[in-house]
Structure formats: C-alpha cells, structure tokens
C-alpha cells in the first residue's frame, strides 16, 4: 500500500468525556448527573467518583499530550458542573475549570474541540421532566450551550453539540434502561428522546450563530457500515434499514431537512412525537462539519420482532480485540465514502476510533513501557483506510483516537482504550508505545502502512 498521507492542518488528536475522566463528582458546586445517580444505585457498578482525577491533574495530562505530539484534543463539558440544577444559577467554578483547561491546551499548541453533551444530563432535569423525554430539555440545553459559548467562545473555535445522541445514549438509557437514566420506555421513548436531543442540537446551533462567536459547530454520530448477514433479500432490507436508522437518522434531518424515508414505515411513524415535522427547520440549522465515531462494521438480519425490524448478527470469523470488539479497518473507507455520498462536500472528522485492551494485555513492564503493538497495528490499519478515502476525494479533516486515557467506561474500568495507561490506585500515568507512534504520525503527516 502507498504511504498514508494526510493534508496540511489535519487534526491528529485524542478524545475523552467528562464523566469518564474528571472525577471530582461532587466538588466545587457540581450537581449530580444521571450517571452519578445510576452508578451509585448498584454496588455491582464501578463508580466515576475519581476516575482519572483529570479535574485535578489536567495540567499533567495536557503536558503529556504535548510530549506525545497531539495537535488536537476533544473533550466534553459536564453540564451539571456548569448548571448544578440543569437551569438557573451558573456555577462559576465549573466554568473556571474549563477555561483553565482551554488556556493550557492553547499554550501547548493543542486545538480544543469541545463537546457540549456526552450523556451526563443533570439529575435535576431527569427528576423534574424525565430528561430528553421533554421538549423543555431541548431549550435548557440551548441555554446551557449559549452560556458556554459566551464563556469560552473567544478561544474555542470547534464545537460539537452531542456525542452519539441516539445509538448509545437513547437506546440504552431511554429504550432498554440498561444505562443511565435507566428508563425502560421502549420504542416510543427512544424515538421521542432522540427527536428532542436533535431539536436541542438545532437550537444550540442557532444559539452559536446568534452569539457572534467565530468558529465551527457540528454533531458527532456513531456509525458502522451495515452489511446483510446472508444473501436473503430480507437481510438486505435489514441492512438498508440499518443504514437509514443507525447511520443517517440524524444526519438526514440535519443536512437534508427530514428524517430518512424509513420514518414513514408503519413500525416507525406512529411512535414518533406528535407534529415532529414542525421541528425540521430548527433541526436543519446549517452545521459546519459532521463527526463520526467509527469502531467497526455491523451485520444485520431481518427480524420483525424487533422495533426497527432488524437485529445485529455478527459473523464469527471477524477478528476481535482482547475485549471482544470487532476489527474491520476497511469499513473506515466504506463508511466515509457513504457519508460523503450522502452529504457531498461536508467536512468530516473521525471523532472516535479506538482499541480495547484489558489489564492482562496492557501492563507496565519492567522498563516502564506499555508495549501495545496490537493497538498500534489497529490504529495504523484504520488510518490507512482513512488516507485511502482522502485520496478518493472524501473531505476528512481529522482523526481522534479513543481515548487519551484509560478511563471509566460507563459502569466499569475493565476495558483499557487509552493511549496513556492509568494506574487507578495511584493515578500514575504511563504513555503507551502506541501513543509515541501516533505522535510520530502527527508530526510527519503520514506513515508507511507496510514499512
């Protein structure tokens, strides 16, 4: 394969989320989030109380990013750290923390990409109005966003409204109840919460335009290229439904002004919020880019028993990481091409892509190294396909590895995704070999897939 090259100004970064790294869960006036409540509700769940203690150690973490050679950092802001009650009184100590973090990043030559919502809804909004089940939460989100734009918009010029608003947060949190906030509301709850999150996105984009701040704003969606599990025509239909719902449900509403045609199916339309079409103009407020969280392709079988008429059905022969995640690097090219065809010319970022190791596979050795060659090979194989997509005309602007640090993975500390190893007992950081390799790529703008 030819040398994988990336254009000047390409962002090579890492990504994190507030709940997963900050700790300080009840310090400096921070309100409870739905994840604080949910994690403490069961002794079987790990807690985000300390996590990576980034709230107190952010300076050290920024310095490690600088040493590695990252030129961008995607992090999220904790809504309840800014508005402890979801609305109303602002907590200035929360805004001050993020202001200091942004200043440290800029001093280190690292471009901040700020995500406004990475699932940590203020618990107060859940108690008052069941979170995203209410349209009022969409307006509360826009008001929170406007406050952050005002505080940080003089220095932050890349904004992401939501992270994976539907595929993960809505489905596990509002439909199945398997994660925070824990609502087992079924199909109707999923479509309602998803729509209100999308409305909140549109209102936040409008607030950004009205703020007069310079910069760009977009949204990050989770997606994996869909394949039929067999030659059965019904499985082909399942893959098409998955393309519409898993990949482009929000993208079409934002960039085309309406949901995909699947919304008109009798198993979808009756479950949508009343008069949802009236929100299309707000939702379609123009964005500057789309973020894609891509880890793996997906395979589907037709199943009328499922609310969306399909189910995941992974082939057994696909290789996996030690934590069990599929490895499908060529899907990077397929998915980026699909997005570019759906929204021609739209700037794209891979806002998450990462490899999950375990305690057994990722230990600090006697020389003080974490020799994670498998992660290096994983990132290289996916990045090579991204370079291929760029050569084919895809407008890809950046790549963010998940994650900067081994961290709290929503109820457990077992998977290790980080470029930096974290000893959770001592909070000792150790930069992994994969991070040094990625930093070399960032500095040189490319690499040889087959040296």
């Amino acid at each position: 394969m030819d040398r994988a090259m990336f254009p000047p100004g390409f962002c090579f970064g890492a990504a994190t989320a507030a709940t997963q790294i900050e700790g300080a869960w009840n310090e400096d006036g921070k309100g409870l989030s739905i994840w604080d409540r949910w994690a403490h509700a069961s002794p079987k769940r790990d807690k985000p109380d300390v996590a990576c203690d980034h709230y107190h150690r952010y300076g050290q973490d920024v310095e490690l990013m600088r040493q590695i050679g990252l030129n961008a950092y995607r992090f999220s802001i904790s809504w309840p750290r800014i508005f402890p009650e979801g609305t109303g009184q602002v907590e200035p100590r929360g805004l001050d923390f993020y202001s200091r973090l942004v200043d440290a990043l800029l001093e280190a030559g690292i471009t901040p990409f700020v995500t406004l919502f990475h699932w940590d809804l203020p618990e107060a909004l859940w108690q008052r109005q069941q979170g995203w089940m209410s349209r009022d939460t969409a307006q509360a989100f826009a008001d929170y966003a406007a406050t952050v734009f005002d505080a940080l918009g003089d220095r932050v010029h890349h904004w992401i409204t939501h992270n994976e608003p539907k595929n993960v947060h809505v489905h596990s949190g509002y439909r199945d109840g398997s994660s925070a906030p824990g609502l087992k509301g079924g199909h109707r709850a999923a479509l309602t919460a998803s729509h209100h999150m999308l409305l909140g996105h549109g209102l936040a984009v409008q607030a950004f335009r009205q703020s007069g701040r310079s910069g760009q704003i977009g949204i990050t969606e989770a997606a994996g290229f869909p394949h039929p599990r067999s030659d059965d025509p019904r499985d082909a239909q399942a893959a098409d439904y998955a393309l519409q719902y898993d990949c482009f449900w929000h993208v079409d509403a934002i960039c085309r002004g309406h949901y995909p045609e699947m919304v008109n199916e009798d198993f979808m339309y009756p479950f949508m919020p009343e008069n949802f079409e009236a929100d299309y103009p707000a939702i379609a407020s123009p964005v500057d880019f789309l973020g894609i969280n891509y880890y793996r392709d997906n395979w589907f079988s037709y199943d009328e028993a499922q609310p969306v008429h399909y189910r995941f059905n992974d082939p057994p022969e696909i290789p996996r990481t030690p934590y069990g995640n599929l490895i499908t690097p060529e899907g990077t090219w397929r998915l980026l091409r699909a997005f570019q065809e759906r929204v021609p010319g739209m700037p794209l970022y891979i806002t998450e892509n990462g490899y999950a190791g375990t305690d057994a596979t990722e230990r600090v050795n006697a020389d003080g190294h974490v020799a994670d060659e498998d992660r290096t090979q994983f990132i290289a194989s996916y990045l090579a396909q991204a370079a291929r997509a760029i050569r084919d005309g895809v407008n890809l602007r950046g790549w963010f590895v998940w994650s900067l640090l081994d961290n709290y993975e929503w109820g457990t500390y077992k998977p290790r995704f980080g470029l930096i190893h974290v000893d959770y007992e001592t909070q000792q950081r150790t930069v992994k070999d994969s991070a040094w390799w990625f930093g070399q790529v960032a500095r040189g703008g490319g690499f040889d897939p087959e040296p």
Side-chain angles (χ1 to χ4, degrees):
M1 182 179 291
D2 294 337
R3 181 172 173 81
M5 293 298 297
F6 299 88
F10 193 85
C11 292
F12 291 96
T16 62
T19 297
Q20 296 182 262
I21 66 166
E22 284 183 1
W25 71 291
N26 59 358
E27 293 186 32
D28 290 343
K30 177 184 172 294
L32 288 179
S33 79
I34 55 173
W35 280 93
D36 295 323
R37 184 257 304 162
W38 184 83
H40 285 89
S42 171
K44 297 181 180 180
R45 298 172 188 144
D46 289 337
K47 313 297 186 280
D49 300 6
V50 177
C52 304
D53 198 30
H54 179 74
Y55 188 76
H56 300 110
R57 300 170 186 265
Y58 73 91
Q60 176 187 2
D61 294 335
V62 171
E63 172 59 18
L64 289 175
M65 285 185 253
R66 187 195 65 78
Q67 292 177 15
I68 291 167
L70 304 183
N71 61 28
Y73 175 49
R74 178 185 170 226
F75 65 94
S76 78
I77 290 178
S78 171
W79 186 348
R81 205 177 283 285
I82 309 303
F83 285 97
E85 296 299 315
T87 58
Q89 188 67 37
V90 174
E91 174 49 70
R93 289 173 291 183
L95 284 174
D96 181 64
F97 165 68
Y98 294 108
S99 182
R100 287 183 279 117
L101 173 59
V102 167
D103 285 346
L105 289 167
L106 294 175
E107 185 176 351
I110 299 169
T111 300
F113 280 66
V114 174
T115 302
L116 291 165
F117 184 71
H118 199 129
W119 310 347
D120 53 349
L121 184 85
E123 173 68 8
L125 288 181
W126 172 253
Q127 295 296 334
R128 290 203 302 270
Q129 58 205 39
Q130 282 202 308
W132 295 107
M133 293 301 293
S134 169
R135 289 179 62 89
D136 290 343
T137 300
Q139 185 59 57
F141 175 70
D143 294 342
Y144 149 66
T147 299
V148 177
F149 297 147
D150 182 63
L152 304 179
D154 59 330
R155 289 156 289 160
V156 174
H157 304 295
H158 299 84
W159 300 93
I160 296 168
T161 54
H162 292 305
N163 177 79
E164 298 183 5
K166 176 180 63 63
N167 298 43
V168 178
H169 180 61
V170 161
H171 283 178
S172 62
Y174 288 82
R175 183 187 69 184
D176 302 336
S178 58
S179 69
L183 178 65
K184 298 179 180 179
H187 195 39
R188 186 178 301 279
L191 292 178
T192 298
S194 170
H195 181 75
H196 290 155
M197 289 187 76
L198 201 52
L199 176 60
H201 155 83
L203 295 176
V205 171
Q206 292 180 356
F208 178 70
R209 305 301 182 201
Q210 293 163 7
S211 74
R213 297 296 194 183
S214 62
Q216 301 178 342
I217 190 167
I219 191 170
T220 279
E221 299 286 344
F225 193 86
H227 304 270
R229 183 62 176 83
S230 74
D231 294 333
D232 188 327
R234 294 177 300 174
D235 287 356
Q237 178 65 76
D240 181 66
Y241 281 154
L243 185 71
Q244 294 184 55
Y245 190 62
D246 280 7
C247 296
F248 295 129
W249 192 251
H250 284 180
V251 170
D252 277 12
I254 293 168
C255 299
R256 293 178 156 188
H258 55 80
Y259 288 117
E261 61 182 16
M262 183 182 175
V263 74
N264 296 310
E265 297 282 1
D266 59 8
F267 56 86
M268 297 293 280
Y269 192 89
F271 294 91
M272 293 293 293
E274 184 177 356
N275 200 30
F276 68 89
E277 295 98 334
D279 293 324
Y280 280 155
I283 290 169
S285 300
V287 295
D288 302 300
F289 64 88
L290 294 174
I292 306 168
N293 290 353
Y294 174 71
Y295 291 85
R296 47 162 286 182
D297 280 4
N298 298 309
W299 281 259
F300 297 94
S301 297
Y302 187 79
D303 188 350
E304 286 190 1
Q306 301 299 316
V308 289
H309 283 204
Y310 61 80
R311 57 184 169 85
F312 288 92
N313 193 346
D314 291 336
E317 65 273 11
I318 303 296
R320 296 173 181 265
T321 72
Y323 204 72
N325 299 334
L326 295 189
I327 301 175
T328 57
E330 287 193 3
T332 309
W333 176 81
R334 285 188 289 262
L335 189 68
L336 288 171
R337 288 288 301 272
F339 265 78
Q340 199 76 91
E341 290 172 6
R342 198 82 171 192
V343 191
M346 176 66 71
L348 303 175
Y349 291 86
I350 294 293
T351 39
E352 286 183 26
N353 170 262
Y355 174 96
T358 65
D359 283 341
T361 61
E362 302 200 3
R363 297 177 177 176
V364 181
N365 62 30
D367 295 330
H369 288 272
V370 179
D372 57 337
E373 176 62 25
D374 287 348
R375 175 174 289 103
T376 299
Q377 293 178 359
F378 178 95
I379 297 172
S381 66
Y382 279 70
L383 267 179
Q385 294 296 323
R388 176 187 174 195
I390 292 171
R391 289 197 300 269
D392 287 347
V394 172
N395 189 9
L396 184 66
R397 301 287 185 86
W399 186 279
F400 292 81
V401 175
W402 183 268
S403 174
L404 176 68
L405 302 158
D406 292 337
N407 57 38
Y408 177 73
E409 285 291 335
W410 309 109
T412 179
Y413 287 94
K414 291 181 180 179
R416 288 189 175 269
F417 276 97
L419 291 173
I420 300 172
H421 181 278
V422 177
D423 183 321
Y424 297 118
E425 295 296 324
T426 66
Q427 292 297 331
Q428 176 68 38
R429 272 82 159 134
T430 303
V431 178
K432 300 177 186 179
D433 289 353
S434 62
W436 297 123
W437 175 87
F438 188 64
Q440 290 176 351
V441 175
R443 290 186 175 97
F447 65 100
D448 293 318
E450 298 177 1

